[in-house]
Amino acid sequence: MAPEPWPPYIFIDQRGGLSGLDYELAQAIMKEAGCALRVEMALPTLRRQMEFRQGRLDLTLGASDTAERRAFARFSLPYRNETVALFTSPANAARYRGLDGFDAILTRHVTLLTPRGGWYGDSYARALPQLDAAGVRNPFSSYELGMRMFKAGRADVIMGDMAAVRHEAERQGVPLATLPWVPFRAPAHLMLNAASTTPEELVRINAAITRLEQSGALAAIRARYGSN
């Protein structure tokens, strides 16, 4: 795998090594499955996605299982959940509390910061061309940059993985209010390259996830990060 810094899921710790929720979960699963996890140089999101599709990487963490991706990948059982949320400033919380979909964002011309890559649900995928055509969407390449953009007033609302946005907001000292509507909530999977891994390896990994869930080992790791 090629890691992408994405606190709290994966990051460089104070000792200079990799840490984070996804990294610890993946380590535990691969060890239980009897697989070696080799970590290559960190890559930006789009480059990492390209190298995975070209068969140069075997594993991606925290992936959504989609029909498009099944053309070149296979997916493990879920090993945690993910929630995509909308956030605004506390001063604007009452103003935007009634947002209940991307149609409302378009109708009210609410400016929106969103991650540049990744899957954030069918409703977002359908709305993306309209959001871009209306000029209300401003993409960011990392949560660190996205939070700096939000702090600088580049948009009314920021969308992203709930844990990642909250982590970065706390790190930068940016007060946030979470809006009630949740654009996307789904289980997260390990995504294996269909060309460079085998169905038998997936069976071993799924069996490892099942055993670690039954023993409480994965739940203990998730609990340390405040995740479910």
Side-chain angles (χ1 to χ4, degrees), residues 10 12 14-15 23 39 45 51 88 97 100 130 142 147-148 181 198 204 213 221:
I10 191 161
I12 305 297
Q14 295 178 342
R15 297 170 296 179
Y23 185 62
V39 180
T45 303
E51 296 218 355
T88 190
R97 187 168 287 123
D100 58 0
Q130 296 167 287
S142 70
M147 194 54 58
R148 290 206 307 267
W181 178 60
T198 67
R204 287 165 56 187
E213 290 289 11
I221 296 172

Side-chain angles (χ1 to χ4, degrees), residues 113 138-140 144-155:
L113 286 162
N138 200 346
F140 56 83
E144 179 182 7
L145 177 59
M147 194 54 58
R148 290 206 307 267
M149 293 166 69
F150 181 78
K151 189 176 182 180
R154 297 281 295 276

Side-chain angles (χ1 to χ4, degrees), residues 43-75:
L43 294 172
T45 303
L46 296 180
R47 173 74 180 277
R48 180 169 50 83
Q49 291 173 353
M50 180 186 70
E51 296 218 355
F52 183 90
R53 293 196 65 157
Q54 292 175 347
R56 291 197 285 268
L57 295 172
D58 306 314
L59 176 68
T60 294
L61 309 182
S64 297
D65 184 347
T66 69
E68 178 187 5
R69 290 173 173 176
R70 281 190 171 271
F72 56 85
R74 52 177 62 95
F75 294 86

Side-chain angles (χ1 to χ4, degrees), residues 86-101 104-105 108-112 150 155-158 177-181:
L86 298 178
F87 303 84
T88 190
S89 64
N92 284 331
R95 181 181 181 186
Y96 296 125
R97 187 168 287 123
L99 291 177
D100 58 0
I105 289 172
R108 296 178 58 179
H109 206 78
V110 176
T111 51
L112 182 66
F150 181 78
D156 305 311
V157 173
I158 182 169
T178 308
L179 298 178
W181 178 60

Side-chain angles (χ1 to χ4, degrees), residues 58-227:
D58 306 314
L59 176 68
T60 294
L61 309 182
S64 297
D65 184 347
T66 69
E68 178 187 5
R69 290 173 173 176
R70 281 190 171 271
F72 56 85
R74 52 177 62 95
F75 294 86
S76 75
L77 293 172
Y79 69 96
R80 65 167 173 83
N81 293 314
E82 63 176 336
T83 300
V84 173
L86 298 178
F87 303 84
T88 190
S89 64
N92 284 331
R95 181 181 181 186
Y96 296 125
R97 187 168 287 123
L99 291 177
D100 58 0
F102 292 109
D103 286 344
I105 289 172
L106 285 161
T107 299
R108 296 178 58 179
H109 206 78
V110 176
T111 51
L112 182 66
L113 286 162
T114 72
R116 188 177 298 278
W119 173 256
Y120 300 98
D122 289 325
S123 63
Y124 177 69
R126 288 193 300 268
L128 193 55
Q130 296 167 287
L131 294 169
D132 286 342
V136 298
R137 187 181 79 102
N138 200 346
F140 56 83
S141 57
S142 70
Y143 280 91
E144 179 182 7
L145 177 59
M147 194 54 58
R148 290 206 307 267
M149 293 166 69
F150 181 78
K151 189 176 182 180
R154 297 281 295 276
D156 305 311
V157 173
I158 182 169
M159 184 190 91
D161 178 272
M162 180 177 283
V165 171
R166 285 176 171 170
H167 177 93
E168 194 57 42
E170 182 177 349
R171 194 183 73 84
Q172 294 191 32
V174 179
L176 289 180
T178 308
L179 298 178
W181 178 60
V182 175
F184 183 58
R185 181 181 286 118
H189 308 259
L190 300 177
M191 183 167 69
L192 280 70
N193 192 304
S196 63
T197 65
T198 67
E200 291 75 21
E201 287 169 332
L202 179 61
V203 168
R204 287 165 56 187
I205 287 169
N206 282 339
I209 292 172
T210 300
R211 290 193 298 269
L212 292 172
E213 290 289 11
Q214 291 172 345
S215 71
L218 297 185
I221 296 172
R222 293 192 296 260
R224 286 195 283 105
Y225 287 88
S227 180

